DNA sequence: CGACAAACTTAGCGAGTGCTAAAAAATTTT
DNA sequence: AAAATTTTTTAGCACTCGCTAAGTTTGTCG
């Protein structure tokens, strides 16, 4: 069932290699490269939730002028207690500045993160729709995908969406 | 910074709406829809690790005939103790059948999951490469992305990869 | 202004995933 | 076969993220 044994091989041979490369999962990567892939996913997971909270707080601030813990809880679909603990953590990490019983705000650092998350999110969403995915599905998928695309991929997605939008 | 205010708007108007839709994140979804999006991500997270383990065990079985806990640990980049506990859990969930101190095997259900994960993984990987992402990056991104794409998106990705491959 | 409702915080539980260290079983070497 | 090595398991710790329940603080309304 296994066939070729070609590690990475950059784009050069035009014809046969294309088809051969298709079944790329036929060969397992060397163990420690494999491990690095999973490590990357785990590491992405750690920041994922944080980014989601920061992004959401930023969105709320921008759209309604303030970000109350209640709203965050409602939109994240979690309890207020969970939000409270998370906010404390975001504060410790230097992303959120807040006073007890008051609206949440983002620090400089938090705003940077929010802006970047927001941009990334928008690109992925645009891209998915350009690909032909319906709005509702695109929104859900974007939420999950955005944290796992590298900048390289993101740039290609953006290019694709732009080309597609102006009808190339 | 904010501009238009148009909720979802299905695909109909051809020109202006396209550009207007670009800033789709300008409007927040209604709270409970928003919550559902995050819930979807959380729920994906729960199965993610499980799928990764099952997929990996399936790959090892296929490529080397057996799946030792040591190999799984090495490839996941995790301690053997972690694998042992995870295997017990996979067993309880009915995906893995194993006898103490012996190689791991997949149940019928486990094989189904592995096959599906494998296929999905392959599609995403192909797709990313068709998009122009280099091999190493594509592998990493695929690992993270595969768990978050709906079937609809997956199908569109596959179509795209196929078209691109035969030069459309 | 007092009372009620809403928002926020704190305390404590449960599940999941990572780790190290140490014991037990299996395998390989001598 | 005994010893050494490897593999697997178990035990116990840390951390994160859900939750509920119970208290505080704030804000509003009669």
């Amino acid at each position: 069932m296994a066939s070729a044994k070609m590690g990475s091989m950059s784009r050069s041979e035009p014809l046969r290699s294309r088809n051969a490369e298709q079944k790329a999962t036929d060969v397992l990567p060397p163990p420690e490269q494999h491990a690095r892939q999973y490590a990357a996913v785990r590491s992405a997971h750690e920041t994922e939730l944080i980014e989601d909270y920061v992004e959401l707080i930023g969105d709320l601030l921008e759209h309604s002028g303030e970000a109350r813990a209640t709203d965050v809880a409602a939109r994240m679909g979690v309890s207020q207690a969970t939000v409270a603990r998370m906010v404390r953590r975001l504060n410790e990490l230097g992303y959120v500045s807040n006073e007890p019983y008051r609206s949440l705000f983002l620090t400089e650092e938090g705003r940077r993160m929010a802006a970047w998350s927001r941009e990334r999110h928008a690109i992925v969403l645009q891209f998915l729709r350009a690909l032909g995915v319906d709005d509702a599905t695109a929104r859900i998928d974007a939420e999950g995908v955005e944290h796992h695309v590298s900048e390289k991929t993101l740039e290609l997605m953006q290019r694709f969406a732009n080309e597609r939008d102006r009808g190339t």
Side-chain angles (χ1 to χ4, degrees), chain A residues 16-90:
Chain A
R16 284 220 317 293
S17 61
R18 262 283 167 64
N19 289 326
E21 260 187 341
Q22 290 215 358
K23 283 250 165 180
T25 36
D26 269 12
V27 166
L28 294 178
E32 47 84 76
Q33 179 192 329
H34 211 165
R36 252 180 282 122
Q37 288 176 23
Y38 285 116
V41 175
R42 278 196 298 273
S43 139
H45 269 171
E46 281 178 24
T47 41
E48 215 167 302
L49 237 203
I50 291 173
E51 286 178 346
D52 280 340
Y53 272 93
V54 170
E55 186 183 352
L56 176 55
I57 291 171
D59 282 347
L60 286 171
L61 282 173
E62 185 151 330
H63 289 295
S64 56
E66 64 172 8
R68 312 302 304 259
T70 309
D71 301 334
V72 174
R75 296 199 108 91
M76 288 289 302
V78 299
S79 73
Q80 292 194 347
T82 298
V83 170
R85 181 151 38 74
M86 199 60 186
V87 165
R88 195 169 58 225
R89 203 165 152 236
L90 293 176

Side-chain angles (χ1 to χ4, degrees), chain A residues 9 22-23 34 46 63 103 119 123 125 151 157 167:
Chain A
M9 170 180 282
Q22 290 215 358
K23 283 250 165 180
H34 211 165
E46 281 178 24
H63 289 295
S103 169
E119 187 187 336
I123 291 174
L125 188 54
E151 288 201 44
M157 285 184 166

Side-chain angles (χ1 to χ4, degrees), chain A residues 55 59 117-146 149 154 157-158 160-161 165:
Chain A
E55 186 183 352
D59 282 347
S117 287
R118 186 188 176 70
E119 187 187 336
R120 209 172 40 178
H121 190 128
I123 291 174
V124 173
L125 188 54
Q126 266 181 260
F127 167 78
L128 286 172
R129 291 207 285 228
L131 190 64
V133 183
D134 67 281
D135 192 84
T137 306
R139 278 175 187 275
I140 293 176
D141 286 12
E143 201 78 68
V145 166
E146 61 168 330
V149 289
L154 211 51
M157 285 184 166
Q158 187 166 30
F160 175 86
D165 263 1

